[in-house]
Amino acid sequence: MNAAIEIGAFEVTISGHPTVEQWGEAFTQALQLGATATWARTDLLGWAEDEQPFGDEYAQFLSAERVSYGTIKNDRRRYNRFPPGHDLRRLAPDLSPSHFDAAAPLDDIDAEQVLLDAAQNKLGREYVRNRVREILNTPAPVVAELSI
């Protein structure tokens, strides 16, 4: 079977056993895709870490593209919560991955309601964060001025 990596609007589909070079080419291409880039990067990193077909060889592409540890950590968290094929990705395609990050603490039912509301009303991720706080009954962070 030939290996293939297909970058779609909501997820990356990987079939067969791509080489590290094919993965790296897809990763580099994904970073140039604008809004789709974050989901593509998330899926490619998650797949490489879960399947481990190349060991740590894929890290060379992370270094070459200057992907930070924080980005990798956030992508991994996003991949675990909203993996490829997760229904919520398709229900709210206009929302940024940061909307999904904000909704991650919620169960799927509450996350769906909040994300769809944000998508339908073109609301920012701050709306999602506030709704998550309300649903989980978590107080908002306190912002205070400090003078020394």
Side-chain angles (χ1 to χ4, degrees), residues 104-125:
L106 300 175
D107 62 36
D108 279 358
I109 293 169
D110 287 335
E112 178 179 342
Q113 180 182 17
V114 170
L115 291 170
L116 285 176
D117 192 31
Q120 290 167 352
N121 295 298
K122 297 182 181 353
L123 300 168
R125 68 175 178 235

Side-chain angles (χ1 to χ4, degrees), residues 3-5 14-23 47 53-54:
I5 300 176
I14 300 173
S15 59
H17 303 284
T19 65
V20 69
E21 290 80 14
Q22 289 170 315
W23 183 93
W47 180 85
F54 333 113

Side-chain angles (χ1 to χ4, degrees), residues 62-143:
L62 304 181
S63 294
E65 297 296 336
R66 296 189 171 134
V67 178
S68 72
Y69 175 75
T71 296
I72 294 168
K73 188 174 86 173
N74 291 338
D75 284 352
R76 184 63 205 191
R77 190 174 329 138
R78 187 179 310 113
Y79 182 84
N80 289 341
R81 177 63 179 91
F82 301 105
H86 197 286
D87 290 339
L88 289 179
R89 284 195 186 189
R90 288 185 179 83
L91 289 175
D94 295 333
L95 295 180
S96 71
S98 62
H99 283 82
F100 285 82
D101 293 346
L106 300 175
D107 62 36
D108 279 358
I109 293 169
D110 287 335
E112 178 179 342
Q113 180 182 17
V114 170
L115 291 170
L116 285 176
D117 192 31
Q120 290 167 352
N121 295 298
K122 297 182 181 353
L123 300 168
R125 68 175 178 235
E126 197 57 37
Y127 165 81
V128 176
R129 287 182 184 141
N130 290 334
R131 287 291 296 132
V132 167
R133 276 193 217 89
E134 289 172 13
I135 291 167
L136 298 178
N137 199 23
T138 307
V142 176
V143 178

